[in-house]
Amino acid sequence: MYETKKRPLTDILIVEDDDIIAALIERFLIQRNYVITAKVATGEDALYKTAEYLPDLVLMDINLAGKIDGITATRFITAIFHIPVIFLSGQDDDTTLERATLANPASFIIKPFNSKNLYLNIEIALRNDRILKQSKNYVAGNIRRIARAALSELDAYFILDSRGRILFINPYGEHLLNVHRNDVILKPIGKYLTFYDTRQNTIFADTFLDVIRESLVLGVRQHIAVKMSDNSYRHVVIQSTSIRDFEKETIGMIVRLHMKTKKEL
């Protein structure tokens, strides 16, 4: 007799703001022994939980309750983490489909759907992802490692969109700015950070354009100080890394803000 080959455990993140649909998806997945890493209802939480758990696949509703919709979250998840995302949507109009295509999803499922349709799309997406990652031309890059490190390192990390708005802030960044991450989503980083040029003794007029975008060109910005809540300044090192989508278009950046110690000054 032939032994049945066991399917490896698959971790799936559910991003759905309708509790009934989320519970139905969860039941479908449990029936097929998929592992549910988390259930979240916003795009911002989807980014955070993806960095935390690195699931094998994400099931993503398009219209979500939070500030970041499913399409925007997916563009960054696929660009940073190279994790397949399947859209679940009740909308299939041309505008939605056109925007969804820009996010490079693994598949698009129209609501309502059944368990068979869900399983089929998941297995196809996982198989295509395995083939892609086994290809000689596949290069993961280090941006995934940077984003994952953000949750544990004692440096402030931000994921910004192309306009300098905050999509993600790590725990140390929250501590530094004295904010909760949900309160800063889609706010310009210049609202919270003021930088000082220690060589010219001047304050930078535009945090995003004059410091952060400039660090993309220079690689690392030094001779910079950041204004603290007590109006004092701390010397920092700023490093920015571009986030590019599957068409190599820059859609944002990961910014690392390292506070210099006395030994580093």
Side-chain angles (χ1 to χ4, degrees), residues 60-232:
M60 178 82 70
D61 186 20
I62 286 181
N63 294 315
L64 296 167
K67 298 173 183 177
I68 300 176
D69 68 9
I71 293 175
T72 300
T74 296
R75 289 193 77 186
F76 283 85
I77 287 171
T78 55
I80 297 171
F81 302 103
H82 298 254
I83 291 172
V85 178
I86 295 177
F87 280 137
L88 307 172
S89 177
Q91 296 179 294
D92 60 352
D93 57 278
D94 290 343
T95 301
T96 300
L97 291 174
E98 185 176 348
R99 286 192 63 228
T101 301
L102 294 175
N104 194 32
S107 187
F108 193 110
I109 301 176
I110 301 297
K111 299 175 183 178
F113 54 86
N114 57 37
S115 59
K116 184 177 180 180
N117 190 18
L118 183 64
Y119 301 150
L120 179 62
N121 277 274
I122 288 174
E123 289 305 317
I124 290 174
L126 291 171
R127 182 176 184 276
N128 289 339
D129 185 59
R130 284 194 297 269
I131 292 172
L132 172 65
K133 289 174 179 173
Q134 289 169 0
S135 140
K136 293 181 180 179
N137 297 324
Y138 175 73
V139 179
N142 69 343
I143 197 167
R144 169 177 167 139
R145 179 190 59 78
I146 294 171
R148 186 69 188 277
L151 294 178
S152 58
E153 288 191 6
L154 293 180
D155 288 325
Y157 282 84
F158 307 88
I159 295 178
L160 308 179
D161 66 11
S162 58
R163 295 163 56 186
R165 298 181 303 174
I166 300 171
L167 302 179
F168 170 96
I169 180 173
N170 74 332
Y172 189 86
E174 291 180 86
H175 172 72
L176 176 66
L177 303 187
N178 192 27
V179 296
H180 187 277
R181 60 189 175 92
N182 289 339
D183 295 331
V184 302
I185 297 300
L186 291 185
K187 301 286 181 62
I189 194 167
K191 179 181 171 84
Y192 301 98
L193 289 175
T194 300
F195 291 109
Y196 183 82
D197 188 326
T198 58
R199 292 173 299 181
Q200 303 295 327
N201 294 323
T202 56
I203 292 175
F204 287 99
D206 192 311
T207 294
F208 181 59
L209 293 178
D210 297 339
V211 180
I212 293 173
R213 280 182 63 104
E214 192 78 10
S215 68
L216 282 175
V217 179
L218 299 176
V220 175
R221 283 297 299 268
Q222 307 212 44
H223 310 293
I224 302 284
V226 63
K227 188 176 183 179
M228 307 301 290
S229 57
D230 61 358
N231 291 324
S232 65

